[in-house]
Amino acid sequence: MGPLGLSRAGLWLSRAMSRCVLEPRLAGKRWLVAGLGNPGLPGTRHSVGMAVLGHLARRLGVAESWVRDRRCAADLALASLGDAQLVLLRPRRLMNLNGHSVARAAELFGLTAEEVYLVHDELDKPLGKVALKLGGSARGHNGVRSCMSCLNSSVSLRLHPAPSRVAGTGPPTPLLTRAPWAPLAPPQAMPRLRVGIGRPTHQDAVQAYVLGRFSPAEQELLPPVLERAADLLLDHIRQRSQESSSGP
């Protein structure tokens, strides 16, 4: 897409977001899907959540629709899934601060933590394994911890220090307190799609491992992993959207 096309796409998304924020919510359900990672480090294990979002955008036909939104410091794309609307988000903040971008976008679109899906890497699962989880602890993942804290999610106060200070895996920083726009309602569980990246043999190698790029052998395994991750995520969203539309 050329500069003119990108400009038009940006204008369309800006107007669409304004309608989403200012107008009453449509009948279809809306969900926010955030791929966690470090901006500027594509292809690394720690940013596999962003790789899933890229694959998801291609599946949904919005791969050329990413637009930077300065209000939440993130790239956003809007997509349709049946009657539901998906807000795809890739933070432009470091992993440890991803939650500020996610929480700000949730506020703009009027969503609660239960309507926000996190997609992130998982050290304790081997590459090739993907799983959905509702709530649970951050397990040392500072990107997840940041989102829980900023969104006031179910276990946002269970802070478990990790062995190192690598972005996304170390002890929480003072900036990761609940953001001023986070809701004051009781904590809510947030669905998370965990994408296994495996764990290095030596614990002291975690930092280099997660910030390193996938090996050539691992890169061959990635396409079907991204496909399964997208399938699992979309199937779950479809089911929840149908349950929501059918009512109690």
Side-chain angles (χ1 to χ4, degrees):
M1 179 181 292
L4 181 59
L6 289 175
S7 176
R8 289 174 176 172
L11 180 61
W12 174 84
L13 179 59
S14 177
R15 289 175 176 172
M17 287 189 61
S18 296
R19 289 195 299 270
C20 289
V21 173
L22 298 177
E23 295 181 359
R25 180 177 298 191
L26 300 177
K29 187 68 178 176
R30 185 182 299 151
W31 310 95
L32 173 63
V33 184
L36 305 190
N38 285 306
L41 292 176
T44 60
R45 296 180 180 90
H46 216 20
S47 295
V48 72
M50 289 185 171
V52 173
L53 263 286
H55 184 76
L56 190 62
R58 289 189 291 274
R59 282 270 301 264
L60 296 172
V62 295
E64 304 298 326
S65 300
W66 291 103
V67 175
R68 182 174 184 176
D69 190 282
R70 297 183 182 277
R71 293 171 295 179
C72 50
D75 293 328
L76 298 176
L78 302 181
S80 296
L81 184 67
D83 292 333
Q85 181 189 65
L86 304 187
V87 181
L88 309 184
L89 180 147
R90 298 186 302 200
R92 281 183 170 266
R93 290 183 169 101
L94 292 176
M95 177 71 88
N96 288 14
L97 300 174
N98 276 187
H100 293 273
S101 294
V102 176
R104 178 59 173 151
E107 180 199 30
L108 288 172
F109 286 93
L111 301 174
T112 66
E114 292 177 325
E115 297 166 315
V116 176
Y117 281 80
L118 301 184
V119 186
H120 63 89
D121 58 299
E122 177 62 62
L123 276 168
D124 292 327
K125 288 187 178 298
L127 181 65
K129 297 292 185 180
V130 294
L132 264 169
K133 182 177 184 180
L134 184 62
S137 71
R139 297 178 63 85
H141 195 297
N142 272 358
V144 174
R145 180 183 292 122
S146 172
C147 293
M148 288 179 170
S149 177
C150 291
L151 281 160
N152 195 31
S153 190
S154 59
V155 287
S156 59
L157 299 181
R158 297 183 192 172
L159 301 182
H160 300 287
S164 66
R165 289 183 179 269
V166 56
T169 60
T173 66
L175 291 176
L176 297 185
T177 55
R178 184 170 57 81
W181 56 79
L184 296 177
Q188 298 169 308
M190 185 164 24
R192 293 155 46 192
L193 179 64
R194 301 176 297 162
V195 183
I197 61 171
R199 181 179 288 276
T201 305
H202 301 289
Q203 186 61 35
D204 56 3
V206 168
Q207 177 173 348
Y209 179 78
V210 299
L211 294 181
R213 300 180 67 87
F214 287 105
S215 69
E218 290 172 328
Q219 290 177 17
E220 292 183 4
L221 298 175
L222 272 181
V225 170
L226 300 181
E227 186 72 10
R228 286 198 300 273
D231 285 341
L232 187 59
L233 185 65
L234 293 177
D235 287 346
H236 196 263
I237 292 176
R238 286 191 189 97
Q239 179 180 350
R240 292 184 69 196
S241 297
Q242 292 172 358
E243 292 173 352
S244 176
S245 62
S246 62

